[in-house]
Amino acid sequence: MSLINDLQWRYAVKAMNGKTVPQEKIDYILEAARLAPSSSGLQPYEVFVITNKELQEKIKPIAFDQNQIVDASHVLVFAAWDNYTLERIETVFQATLQARNLPSDTMDAYKARLWGLYEPLGDAWHANHAAKQAYIAFGMAIAAAAEQKVDATPMEGFDAEALDQLLQLDQKGLKSALVLTLGYRDESNDWLVNMKKVRTPKDQFVTELA
Ligand SMILES: Cc1cc2nc3c(=O)[nH]c(=O)nc-3n(C[C@H](O)[C@H](O)[C@H](O)COP(=O)(O)O)c2cc1C
C-alpha cells in the first residue's frame, strides 16, 4: 500500500518554501518519467529542467503568476513533438532495433502501417497525440516525486505559446505541454496543506462488468 500512502500524502502544492531538492531525487523522478510507456514506444516528448532563478522569474508571468514557479527548487517543462514525421518515427525504431540487435528492416511493416494511420491526421492531431503521451510520463513523475517525499505542482496553467517562445522550443520541433514544479511545501503559507483530498467515490469511478 505504500504507493497509495504516497499518493494520499501528495497534493498540488500552492506554496513552496524555496528549499533545494537533492539531485539524486530529481534524477529518480526524471528516470520514472523516462521509463513511462508511450504509444508505439515513440516517447514523443522531452523534459527541460530549469533551476535558473532568472529564467524562473521570466516564466512566472507566463504561468499566470503562480508563485510555485519561483519558489520551486526545480521547474520541469514537459515538451512534446510538434508533429510526427516518418523521419522521427524511423529514428526511434532504428534505435530500438539497434538496442535489441535486430535487423534494421524488422519494423518496416509496422512503421508503414503506423505512418499510414498518422500521416493523414495532420500536424494538429499529431501534436495533440504527442502531448497525450507526455501526460503519462508526467503522471509517473508526480508519483515518483511523492514516493521521494518531494512536493510537486502539476501545471497546465501557463501560456504555452509564450513558454515555447521563451525556451525556443519551436526551433527544436517541440511544444510545451506541461509544467511540474518540484520543491517542498511551505506549510504555514499553503491554504491547501490541511484540506481533505477529494476524489470521485469508488462506486462512481469503477464499473465492474463481470
Ligand atoms: C494536468 C494538470 C494541470 C494542473 N494545473 C494546475 C495549475 O496550473 N496550477 C495549480 O495550482 N494546480 C494545477 N493542477 C492541480 C490540480 O488542480 C489538482 O491536481 C487537483 O485539484 C487534485 O488535487 P490534488 O492534486 O491536490 O490531490 C493541475 C493538475 C493537473 C493533473
Side-chain angles (χ1 to χ4, degrees):
M1 290 296 278
S2 103
L3 176 61
I4 300 300
N5 290 339
D6 295 336
L7 295 178
Q8 290 284 4
W9 171 84
R10 68 147 297 280
Y11 70 103
V13 168
K14 303 300 176 214
M16 290 187 168
N17 64 13
K19 292 210 175 118
T20 303
V21 178
Q23 187 59 42
E24 64 269 19
K25 287 183 185 272
I26 299 294
D27 290 343
Y28 186 93
I29 293 162
L30 291 170
E31 186 63 357
R34 193 180 71 92
L35 290 171
S38 60
S39 186
S40 295
L42 290 176
Q43 290 181 266
Y45 45 77
E46 296 178 25
V47 182
F48 293 81
V49 182
I50 297 164
T51 51
N52 178 305
K53 291 294 160 199
E54 275 175 33
L55 190 51
Q56 286 170 244
E57 288 290 351
K58 283 186 189 158
I59 295 172
K60 188 182 166 195
I62 288 173
F64 309 141
D65 276 326
Q66 298 190 71
N67 285 318
Q68 305 96 309
I69 296 285
V70 287
D71 295 332
S73 164
H74 292 66
V75 176
L76 309 188
V77 176
F78 286 69
W81 292 358
D82 58 2
N83 68 0
Y84 292 121
T85 63
L86 201 49
E87 196 190 354
R88 279 177 145 169
I89 293 171
E90 177 80 26
T91 301
V92 176
F93 284 4
Q94 281 310 320
T96 304
L97 295 173
Q98 247 180 23
R100 293 176 175 165
N101 285 322
L102 291 167
S104 63
D105 61 355
T106 309
M107 294 178 82
D108 281 0
Y110 182 78
K111 186 180 63 191
R113 237 187 5 260
L114 191 67
W115 189 236
L117 280 173
Y118 281 8
E119 189 184 17
L121 294 169
D123 284 355
W125 186 93
H126 292 181
N128 184 47
H129 187 264
K132 286 197 283 185
Q133 311 313 307
Y135 276 75
I136 301 169
F138 188 69
M140 297 282 181
I142 293 169
E147 195 200 3
Q148 294 296 306
K149 291 288 181 288
V150 171
D151 281 303
T153 315
M155 288 188 184
E156 273 180 331
F158 61 92
D159 177 341
E161 275 181 28
L163 189 57
D164 293 353
Q165 266 183 11
L166 179 68
L167 302 180
Q168 299 184 320
L169 295 181
D170 49 343
Q171 292 174 24
K172 301 182 172 87
L174 298 169
K175 284 179 185 290
S176 55
L178 294 149
V179 168
L180 188 66
T181 64
L182 297 173
Y184 295 106
R185 61 189 69 174
D186 178 355
E187 301 211 10
S188 46
N189 286 308
D190 193 339
W191 58 268
L192 196 52
V193 67
N194 289 319
M195 297 268 182
K196 186 175 163 47
K197 187 171 284 294
V198 183
R199 291 292 190 269
T200 306
K202 187 183 169 196
D203 62 350
Q204 291 167 34
F205 182 66
V206 177
T207 302
E208 290 182 13
L209 304 173

